[in-house]
Amino acid sequence: MTKLIYNGVEYKIDDFDGSILDAIKSLGLEFAADCGGRGTCKKCQVLIDGEQGLKKVLACQTLAKDAHTIYAETASDMII
């Protein structure tokens, strides 16, 4: 089971074959990806809890099914 925690709200994205960014967009959620998903702007960083524990990844370059839980926030809500 894969779940997305987006701005504190939980969404289930089981069996989604695309990237985390595609999963977020398929839910109609707003998310920063200025480079269009090419992995160059680095604005789509999310935290995932997967087989290797917690780590930061680019949502556009990581498959949604590679994570158990994905933590994402809108760009305006992110703390840097």
Side-chain angles (χ1 to χ4, degrees):
M1 178 175 92
T2 301
K3 63 183 173 180
L4 167 68
I5 309 296
Y6 179 84
N7 291 336
V9 179
E10 184 175 316
Y11 300 88
K12 292 183 181 178
I13 54 171
D14 294 338
D15 301 323
F16 192 85
D17 288 331
S19 71
I20 293 170
L21 180 60
D22 291 339
I24 292 170
K25 287 183 176 184
S26 76
L27 294 168
L29 303 173
E30 185 179 321
F31 197 71
D34 293 354
C35 68
R38 291 186 301 275
T40 57
C41 73
K42 311 278 192 263
K43 290 186 178 182
C44 66
Q45 283 190 3
V46 296
L47 183 65
I48 64 169
D49 187 1
E51 297 287 326
Q52 300 172 349
L54 288 172
K55 66 179 179 177
K56 282 187 180 180
V57 298
L58 296 178
C60 67
Q61 302 294 307
T62 306
L63 294 176
K65 64 183 178 182
D66 289 344
H68 299 297
T69 305
I70 302 160
Y71 301 93
E73 298 177 341
T74 57
S76 62
D77 294 330
M78 294 186 105
I79 299 171
I80 300 175

